[in-house]
Amino acid sequence: MAWRGCFLSWSKVDIISSPCRGNRFTLYTQQRCGFKKAPKKNEVKKVEAEDGGRNQLVSSDASVQKKTLTPPAEFPAPNVPTRSFARLLKPFVFTVGFTGCSFGTAAIWQYESLKSRVQSYFDEVRADWLEKLRPQKEGDFRKQVNQWWNGLSEGQRTVTGIIAANALVFCLWRVPSMQRTMIQYFTSNPASKVLCFPMVLSTFSHYSLFHMAANMYVLWSFSSSIVSMLGREQFMAVYMSAGVISTFVSYISKTASGRLGPSLGASGAIMSVLAAVCTKMPEAKLAIIFLPMFTFTAGSALKAIVALDTAGLFLGWRFFDHAAHLGGALFGIWYVSYGHELIWKNREPLVKIWHEMRTRGPGSGGDGSP
């Protein structure tokens, strides 16, 4: 089986491509004629800083922004210790706790799915019987949607919700009144006042249509392989955990280098999926979407991507968030090699506790049976 992916377009975009002196933008205008006009006194407007409770005086000329493919940058308050590693303690605890909760929730989800499988089977049989008795309508839109949905693989049905969430967040970026909220909560920035929630929300955030389309295409292409290998519950735990872990690695890299700035995108989590599949199936054939005639093995592709991101990290390339890519890829490699045995196969005590809670809950019989 061959999978096709667009390896060079996966990016957790590093929004700030060049440092801003004094955390300000200076706009220059070009005269249209040879006469020099008298300079006008800039009107001063009071704006409350996003990351601090103090007010700053900002020129009205600096409030004009051109439309670009990246959202406006978030400026940290001057008194915030932006390069202090002590600020990363809270994101570290959040990363560990969120990862544990993700796998715990996935284990309980799998238990509930297995428990209701018999009931779902009878419900489906009854629904098919009623569908045969009901008169069929030609051109029924709902029937066509059901046929399309039933034709998808389990992996494709699983990632459909993820793609829909990314599309919704992409639309929210286009709402002017939502810009401040989107920058604060849907971009991950170690210099921001809010550090934990953006680690999750930025994984579903894309500002550029091409960026989102490339990431979602890769996720869709590898969805069948990763879900058949891990199952949908375990896949969701790995995907969500990889998004937070890759963001935390990005926090560490930016704090150590001093190149602070917001990032967004699902590439860290997608890199974990890609690395897991390529590690488990290194001989699988892959191809670039725009050059389908050139094929290569999955193992070679993974080595090339890791080498590229490593070079970009040490050489200081700013177009991609290479630290997030490496964090996601290393987590995917580690999980299929060791994490599955250490985490997923040791979920039985938690499932047993959940089972006892379910059987002792209201609605259970006197003998403890549901």
Side-chain angles (χ1 to χ4, degrees):
M1 181 182 295
W3 298 281
R4 298 181 178 179
C6 181
F7 296 101
L8 299 181
S9 62
W10 303 331
S11 59
K12 187 179 179 82
V13 173
D14 189 1
I15 293 176
I16 296 183
S17 58
S18 61
C20 301
R21 298 180 180 177
N23 287 336
R24 295 179 184 269
F25 288 113
T26 304
L27 302 180
Y28 298 93
T29 56
Q30 183 178 4
Q31 295 181 353
R32 295 186 178 180
C33 59
F35 297 98
K36 184 176 182 181
K37 296 182 180 180
K40 295 182 180 180
K41 186 177 181 180
N42 294 335
E43 297 179 359
V44 177
K45 180 180 347 183
K46 185 177 289 186
V47 180
E48 183 177 0
E50 181 174 347
D51 289 335
R54 300 186 177 182
N55 293 330
Q56 296 178 346
L57 297 180
V58 181
S59 168
S60 62
D61 292 344
S63 63
V64 181
Q65 296 179 351
K66 296 182 179 181
K67 294 182 179 180
T68 59
L69 293 178
T70 57
E74 179 187 11
F75 301 126
N79 296 332
V80 177
T82 54
R83 291 195 61 182
S84 175
F85 281 96
R87 299 190 74 238
L88 299 182
L89 178 60
K90 188 176 180 180
F92 172 75
V93 175
F94 178 81
T95 301
V96 175
F98 184 85
T99 301
C101 291
S102 297
F103 282 96
T105 304
I108 295 174
W109 179 17
Q110 186 185 60
Y111 167 84
E112 294 294 337
S113 298
L114 294 175
K115 187 178 180 62
S116 61
R117 180 169 297 178
V118 176
Q119 183 64 35
S120 299
Y121 172 77
F122 286 109
D123 292 341
E124 291 177 0
V125 171
R126 181 182 179 184
D128 293 339
W129 179 72
L130 293 176
E131 187 70 19
K132 293 179 181 179
L133 296 179
R134 188 178 304 166
Q136 301 295 326
K137 297 181 180 179
E138 296 182 359
D140 190 359
F141 177 74
R142 184 176 180 180
K143 181 180 178 180
Q144 294 177 359
V145 172
N146 290 334
Q147 290 178 352
W148 170 80
W149 179 260
N150 294 330
L152 298 178
S153 64
E154 185 180 4
Q156 291 172 339
R157 289 196 296 266
T158 302
V159 302
T160 299
I162 299 177
I163 297 175
N166 281 268
L168 176 61
V169 175
F170 175 79
C171 294
L172 292 178
W173 273 109
R174 268 59 198 169
V175 180
S177 60
M178 292 290 296
Q179 292 296 306
R180 192 178 187 89
T181 302
M182 300 301 293
I183 293 173
Q184 185 175 8
Y185 291 100
F186 287 85
T187 59
S188 58
N189 187 358
S192 176
K193 183 179 180 180
V194 183
L195 293 175
C196 295
F197 287 109
M199 299 176 72
V200 181
L201 299 179
S202 63
T203 306
F204 299 88
S205 179
H206 297 83
Y207 191 81
S208 169
L209 178 61
F210 178 78
H211 183 204
M212 183 187 71
N215 280 341
M216 296 302 101
Y217 176 81
V218 175
L219 179 62
W220 181 269
S221 301
F222 283 85
S223 61
S224 299
S225 301
I226 189 66
V227 172
S228 63
M229 184 172 63
L230 300 178
R232 61 176 182 174
E233 297 87 3
Q234 188 179 185
F235 158 72
M236 288 300 301
V238 171
Y239 184 86
M240 298 298 295
S241 301
V244 175
I245 291 173
S246 62
T247 303
F248 180 71
V249 174
S250 176
Y251 278 1
I252 297 176
S253 175
K254 289 180 180 180
T255 304
S257 63
R259 297 174 179 176
L260 305 175
S263 300
L264 76 172
S267 304
I270 294 175
M271 278 295 299
S272 181
V273 172
L274 182 148
V277 174
C278 292
T279 303
K280 199 71 174 180
M281 308 174 183
E283 299 301 324
K285 294 296 182 179
L286 303 177
I288 301 176
I289 179 176
F290 300 111
L291 300 172
M293 68 289 300
F294 298 103
T295 60
F296 40 84
T297 62
S300 300
L302 179 60
K303 293 177 182 177
I305 294 173
V306 171
L308 179 66
D309 285 322
T310 302
L313 179 63
F314 286 99
L315 295 178
W317 298 347
R318 302 297 301 274
F319 188 67
F320 295 156
D321 193 338
H322 298 282
H325 285 191
L326 286 175
L330 293 178
F331 175 72
I333 295 172
W334 173 84
Y335 186 80
V336 296
S337 302
Y338 308 101
H340 178 76
E341 298 287 336
L342 295 175
I343 299 177
W344 192 249
K345 289 192 175 181
N346 293 322
R347 69 189 187 280
E348 294 180 2
L350 175 62
V351 175
K352 184 177 180 180
I353 294 174
W354 178 258
H355 174 73
E356 293 177 354
M357 293 175 59
R358 291 274 284 127
T359 54
R360 293 177 183 177
S364 60
D367 58 350
S369 60

